[in-house]
């Protein structure tokens, strides 16, 4: 995979960068795939639903409003994503089970950790354009992430 810094140098403003900080929690440091989007807040029901499906190397982008009140992905969902062939997960929010996630063979980037689990009420929207900071991400866009 081409490093994200090189992509930014080559394509300039055509590359949209989500402002950090983000931390890598998965067993892989790089993500490269087509976006599947979810817009939600403190309810990971749609995250589980998405990750139960075949990933086909795609990247799940979870617009969690930057919430630090609960985790949207934990060890079980990290394992599920890896088993079902997802290319990665980017979360504008928190994860939990950080030690477990580090053993999952998938790239997982999030804002931080929180030991509290999320609500399970089926709230949110899937496959819609989402906003993370000032960046709009639409389903099907190409997503890259690495240590930068």
């Amino acid at each position: 995979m081409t490093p994200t810094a090189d992509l930014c140098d080559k394509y300039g403003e055509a590359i949209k960068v989500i402002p950090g900080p983000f931390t890598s929690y998965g067993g892989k440091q790089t993500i490269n795939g087509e976006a599947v989007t979810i817009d939600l807040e403190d309810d990971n029901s749609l995250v589980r639903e998405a990750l139960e499906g075949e990933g086909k190397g795609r990247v799940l982008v979870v617009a969690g409003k930057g919430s630090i009140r609960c985790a949207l992905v934990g060890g079980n969902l990290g394992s599920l994503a890896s088993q079902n062939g997802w290319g990665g997960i980017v979360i504008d929010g928190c994860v939990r089970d950080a030690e477990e996630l580090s053993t999952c063979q998938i790239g997982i980037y999030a804002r931080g950790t929180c030991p509290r689990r999320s609500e399970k009420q089926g709230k949110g929207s899937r496959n819609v354009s989402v906003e993370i900071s000032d960046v709009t991400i639409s389903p099907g866009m190409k997503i890259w992430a690495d240590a930068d």
Side-chain angles (χ1 to χ4, degrees):
M1 181 177 110
T2 303
T4 56
D6 291 351
L7 290 170
C8 287
D9 290 350
K10 184 174 181 178
Y11 296 105
E13 294 301 313
I15 298 289
K16 303 301 178 202
V17 177
I18 301 171
F22 280 86
T23 300
S24 174
Y25 293 97
K28 292 177 70 177
Q29 293 293 308
T30 59
I31 294 175
N32 178 7
E34 183 181 302
V36 172
T37 59
I38 297 179
D39 190 37
L40 56 78
E41 189 168 357
D42 297 339
D43 182 335
N44 76 345
S45 303
L46 294 180
V47 175
R48 173 173 285 284
E49 183 181 292
L51 295 176
E52 286 174 342
E54 190 176 344
K56 300 178 185 176
R58 296 174 295 173
V59 176
L60 186 62
V61 178
V62 181
K65 316 272 188 290
S67 175
I68 58 171
R69 292 182 291 274
C70 66
L72 299 173
V73 170
N76 291 338
L77 292 184
S79 293
L80 184 64
S82 182
Q83 291 167 11
N84 288 339
W86 285 85
I89 308 171
V90 176
I91 306 152
D92 183 24
C94 291
V95 297
R96 69 184 202 163
D97 305 321
E99 200 168 308
E100 271 182 68
L101 291 176
S102 71
T103 67
C104 297
Q105 289 308 300
I106 185 171
I108 302 170
Y109 282 86
R111 297 278 187 190
T113 62
C114 180
R116 188 175 314 280
R117 69 180 177 171
S118 79
E119 298 175 8
K120 313 274 192 251
Q121 297 179 3
K123 295 178 182 177
S125 301
R126 188 170 166 193
N127 292 324
V128 296
S129 291
V130 298
E131 293 279 330
I132 299 179
S133 297
D134 61 346
V135 177
T136 301
I137 300 167
S138 299
M141 287 178 77
K142 193 75 165 172
I143 303 294
W144 289 268
D146 61 20
D148 285 337

